[in-house]
Amino acid sequence: MLVEILIAKAAERQGSKKAVAEMLGVSSSYLSDLKSGRRKIQPDDLAAIAHLAGFNALNFLALATLEGAKGTAKEKVLQEALGESIRQLESTLLSGSTPLKSSNSRDIQCILC
């Protein structure tokens, strides 16, 4: 459902699903496969599509990282580290708000510079 929403919002913002596919260097059928769940979305695709949809890509990378760690020893540590960002992201998505520009994105950018 998340991927479906992101692809729809990205297509709306970029003019079409074909435009989104071209920007990502993939085919429209690839996006359809992601949207339908026939393909599992990779963290880089999730972040790129989120960005094209007007959301903060770093938050979606955090979400994908946490999802990928489910059932592992790292899951608890990542939940502590990323928990607040993920909760903010989930509440924003559930409310239907867009675009998401996290206040902590500046903090993350400063840490990386």
Side-chain angles (χ1 to χ4, degrees):
M1 173 151 161
L2 173 65
V3 175
E4 193 175 334
I5 293 168
L6 287 176
I7 291 172
K9 287 188 183 273
E12 180 182 314
R13 286 193 59 165
Q14 304 306 321
S16 69
K17 190 171 91 171
K18 182 179 179 189
V20 172
E22 288 174 359
M23 292 172 135
L24 297 175
V26 301
S27 66
S28 292
S29 63
Y30 178 81
L31 287 182
S32 294
D33 287 348
L34 292 176
K35 194 172 176 180
S36 70
R38 285 187 297 269
R39 281 186 196 252
K40 183 178 179 190
I41 192 160
Q42 298 302 307
D44 58 333
D45 286 334
L46 183 66
I49 293 168
H51 172 72
L52 293 175
F55 292 96
N56 183 311
L58 290 174
N59 286 338
F60 282 86
L61 281 174
L63 181 65
T65 300
L66 187 56
E67 185 67 30
K70 280 195 176 176
T72 69
K74 289 186 261 184
E75 181 180 15
K76 184 177 178 184
V77 174
L78 287 170
Q79 282 179 335
E80 287 178 23
L82 303 172
E84 185 57 33
S85 292
I86 299 304
R87 282 189 291 282
Q88 288 174 0
L89 175 61
E90 288 172 342
S91 68
T92 300
L93 288 173
L94 291 174
S95 73
S97 300
T98 188
L100 174 63
K101 299 298 181 192
S102 168
S103 61
N104 68 356
S105 66
R106 278 181 257 112
D107 297 337
I108 293 169
Q109 289 170 354
C110 288
I111 291 167
L112 295 176
C113 54

